[in-house]
Amino acid sequence: MQRTATDHAHLSRAIELAENGRGRVSPNPLVGAVVARDDEVLGEGYHAAYGSEHAEVAAIGACAKDPIGATLYVTLEPCCHYGQTPPCTDVIVAAGITRVVVASDDPTDKASGRGLGILRDEGIDVQTFDGEVSRDARLLNQPFRKHARTGRPLVVFKSAMSLDGKVATQTGDSKWISNERSRQLVHRWRGQLDAVCIGIGTALADDPLLTARAEGVGRQPTRVVFDSEARLPLDSNLVKTAPEVPLVVVTSRAADRSHAEALRAAGAEVVAAAGGTERERVLDGLNKLGGLGITSLLLEGGPRLAGSFLDAREIDEVRLFVAPIVLGGRAAPAPFEGEGTVMIADAQKAASLEVETVDEDVLITARLREW
């Protein structure tokens, strides 16, 4: 059967619905679903929280009329395994759905086409979309997709800089380059991602909390500090709040054992990253964070750690606030340190770019790769 404008419209609506679960469903994916008979919508639903019913079940349950013979539009391949909830494929078959239109695949080993095969075996007409709608559905779940394929979290780098590319003055003053509205946006991002990450230099200089302080935040992110020598003070805000808000300290294997044990005793989780260079420790640290179930990470600095992530090719997205100020100073830091790229031809190029204004600031969002 040929895909129609009606199919496109219902899938686009399903993508809108899926966004309602952002910040509440991880490590599950964002999923939206619509049950329709031609142009008539019978029911809508989305995955609202981790452990709650899946989008397909919610949409079928919301149907005002019997869904027998209807079409189910869903942003992600329906699951066919038991987890926190029963398989969605069972519910779809039992509801009498005769056609399923899917916007994107599920790359996990326990799915990867299995659900679609089960539905086809039951005589259901299954169609997959491609093009812009499919891409939009995949972009919904970049953390889920990267974690499924690599075991590592999606890394979103955030920074604020002046018009001349400085993130602080030559004396280290950086409060505040971005405006209040931009900073509130960052707090929302913290609440939407699994973790927020800084280096020990930033932790010592700023003594931050790294919590999400914005209206409507459903959960607090895990705070992560890359601290090769386990120097994070026990009286720091991060450690003092570790019993309430999760804290992970990523050390090197050469870190002082007694310091690491003291952090553990205070409530922090300490993981030792292998590797002889910062780049290698970043990569192994991300593997270990992924093993803890962290699928997305907001990297907030500073420049040394950001440079190590960039050198490791582990920054997936850049969100950069540019403020209408000029700082100057040859010693004033830029967003990235590290080894950098030798030749322009070897530079990482954005796969997509978006620009918007946030009061006086300009927010540039660049995806370096898509999963």
Side-chain angles (χ1 to χ4, degrees), residues 141-177:
N141 287 309
Q142 291 295 286
F144 175 76
R145 297 181 71 85
K146 182 183 179 183
H147 189 262
R149 290 178 171 176
T150 70
R152 297 188 294 277
L154 187 88
V155 176
V156 178
F157 172 69
K158 159 263 157 185
S159 188
M161 71 177 191
S162 62
L163 287 171
D164 54 334
K166 309 296 185 181
V167 296
T169 67
Q170 56 189 328
T171 64
D173 181 34
S174 63
K175 292 183 172 57
W176 295 100
I177 290 178

Side-chain angles (χ1 to χ4, degrees), residues 278 303-311 335-341:
E278 291 184 4
R304 179 173 175 176
L305 183 64
S308 297
F309 271 71
L310 190 67
D311 290 341
F336 296 100
E337 293 180 4
E339 297 175 8
T341 301

Side-chain angles (χ1 to χ4, degrees), residues 295-319:
T295 67
S296 59
L297 181 146
L298 183 64
L299 177 61
E300 295 200 19
R304 179 173 175 176
L305 183 64
S308 297
F309 271 71
L310 190 67
D311 290 341
R313 301 259 167 170
E314 281 298 324
I315 293 181
D316 301 288
E317 184 177 321
V318 174
R319 299 178 185 176

Side-chain angles (χ1 to χ4, degrees), residues 94-131:
I97 298 291
T98 56
R99 181 170 176 251
V100 174
V101 182
V102 179
S104 65
D105 65 304
D106 181 337
T108 57
D109 290 339
K110 57 192 175 185
S112 194
R114 289 185 175 88
L116 303 185
I118 289 172
L119 294 177
R120 288 190 177 104
D121 288 344
E122 292 290 338
I124 295 174
D125 177 19
V126 176
Q127 295 188 341
T128 57
F129 246 68
D130 51 19

Side-chain angles (χ1 to χ4, degrees), residues 13-352:
R13 174 57 180 163
I15 290 171
E16 291 178 6
L17 290 166
E19 278 287 351
N20 292 319
R22 190 168 295 279
R24 293 173 171 81
V25 303
S26 182
N28 284 351
L30 294 164
V31 186
V34 173
V35 179
R37 189 175 286 113
D38 297 323
D39 291 331
E40 182 186 11
V41 174
L42 305 182
E44 296 182 336
Y46 62 92
H47 187 33
Y50 179 70
S52 69
E53 62 185 7
H54 288 186
E56 301 93 320
V57 177
I60 290 171
C63 284
K65 298 180 180 179
D66 197 319
I68 291 177
T71 297
L72 171 71
Y73 298 87
V74 63
T75 58
L76 184 75
E77 171 187 343
C79 69
C80 58
H81 59 276
Y82 281 89
Q84 293 285 324
T85 60
C88 289
T89 49
D90 291 355
V91 177
I92 294 168
V93 171
I97 298 291
T98 56
R99 181 170 176 251
V100 174
V101 182
V102 179
S104 65
D105 65 304
D106 181 337
T108 57
D109 290 339
K110 57 192 175 185
S112 194
R114 289 185 175 88
L116 303 185
I118 289 172
L119 294 177
R120 288 190 177 104
D121 288 344
E122 292 290 338
I124 295 174
D125 177 19
V126 176
Q127 295 188 341
T128 57
F129 246 68
D130 51 19
E132 196 64 26
V133 170
S134 180
R135 179 173 180 266
D136 289 344
R138 292 194 302 272
L139 290 179
L140 274 175
N141 287 309
Q142 291 295 286
F144 175 76
R145 297 181 71 85
K146 182 183 179 183
H147 189 262
R149 290 178 171 176
T150 70
R152 297 188 294 277
L154 187 88
V155 176
V156 178
F157 172 69
K158 159 263 157 185
S159 188
M161 71 177 191
S162 62
L163 287 171
D164 54 334
K166 309 296 185 181
V167 296
T169 67
Q170 56 189 328
T171 64
D173 181 34
S174 63
K175 292 183 172 57
W176 295 100
I177 290 178
S178 59
N179 63 48
E180 175 63 27
R181 189 172 159 221
S182 295
R183 296 196 296 276
Q184 280 302 305
L185 193 55
V186 172
H187 280 282
R188 279 176 44 200
W189 294 343
R190 288 179 179 177
Q192 291 172 351
L193 301 180
D194 289 348
V196 56
C197 176
I198 60 173
I200 184 59
T202 300
L204 294 176
D206 297 344
D207 192 23
L209 274 171
L210 298 183
T211 51
R213 300 182 293 280
E215 186 177 350
V217 169
R219 58 165 188 176
Q220 290 297 329
T222 296
R223 288 89 50 84
V224 177
V225 181
F226 273 74
D227 178 12
S228 60
E229 298 177 7
R231 292 187 292 145
L232 187 63
L234 297 179
D235 62 353
S236 65
N237 283 323
L238 288 168
V239 176
K240 286 191 295 186
T241 56
E244 293 81 42
V245 184
L247 172 65
V248 179
V249 181
V250 182
T251 71
S252 71
R253 291 182 173 178
D256 185 286
R257 188 169 298 178
S258 63
H259 291 177
E261 288 302 324
L263 288 169
R264 286 192 181 95
E269 182 157 3
V270 180
V271 296
T277 66
E278 291 184 4
R279 177 169 52 184
E280 291 171 340
R281 288 193 293 274
V282 161
L283 191 59
D284 192 60
L286 288 174
N287 283 326
K288 288 184 167 59
L289 292 173
L292 295 176
I294 293 173
T295 67
S296 59
L297 181 146
L298 183 64
L299 177 61
E300 295 200 19
R304 179 173 175 176
L305 183 64
S308 297
F309 271 71
L310 190 67
D311 290 341
R313 301 259 167 170
E314 281 298 324
I315 293 181
D316 301 288
E317 184 177 321
V318 174
R319 299 178 185 176
L320 189 61
F321 294 101
V322 182
I325 58 174
V326 178
L327 298 180
R330 67 171 58 92
F336 296 100
E337 293 180 4
E339 297 175 8
T341 301
V342 176
M343 303 296 292
I344 295 294
D346 297 327
Q348 298 180 57
K349 186 176 181 179
S352 65

